[in-house]
Amino acid sequence: MSHTPPPTSLNTSDLAEVLFCCGLQESDHPSAEQVRKAIDDRIGACGGDSAACVALVAQEAGDHPETYTLRMRWALSTVSEAYRDLTSAA
């Protein structure tokens, strides 16, 4: 498994927010490579501006508050697995 560094100097929480607003779902059981690609693609779609992704998270949280907590927990856990080198360096 590749341990590709994060696309920028984003931390685990930042990367989880980006993953949160990607199309991947927990039921997809994405691989680490799929997670990293989805994050790279979403950051690219946001013009490289992670703040734009955070705005999408806020919108989703407002639109679907009943699923926000579960999805964010999944995103945090998934990012921790996909970027093990990032979480072990902390």
Side-chain angles (χ1 to χ4, degrees):
M1 174 189 331
S2 164
H3 291 288
T4 311
T8 64
S9 60
L10 299 176
N11 63 34
T12 302
S13 296
D14 296 334
L15 291 167
E17 288 178 336
V18 175
L19 178 61
F20 182 96
C21 56
C22 291
L24 288 179
Q25 298 294 318
E26 182 175 10
S27 61
D28 296 332
H29 304 288
S31 69
E33 289 295 326
Q34 289 171 312
V35 169
R36 290 190 292 267
K37 181 175 181 345
I39 289 172
D40 288 344
D41 291 349
R42 173 52 62 189
I43 290 173
C46 291
D49 181 10
S50 62
C53 291
V54 172
L56 290 172
V57 172
Q59 180 180 352
E60 284 296 314
D63 291 347
H64 307 286
E66 69 283 0
T67 60
Y68 172 79
T69 302
L70 289 175
R71 181 152 174 85
M72 186 53 76
R73 282 185 186 145
W74 169 78
L76 284 163
S77 172
T78 302
V79 163
S80 292
E81 286 296 315
Y83 293 94
R84 286 182 188 205
D85 56 329
L86 178 67
T87 58
S88 65

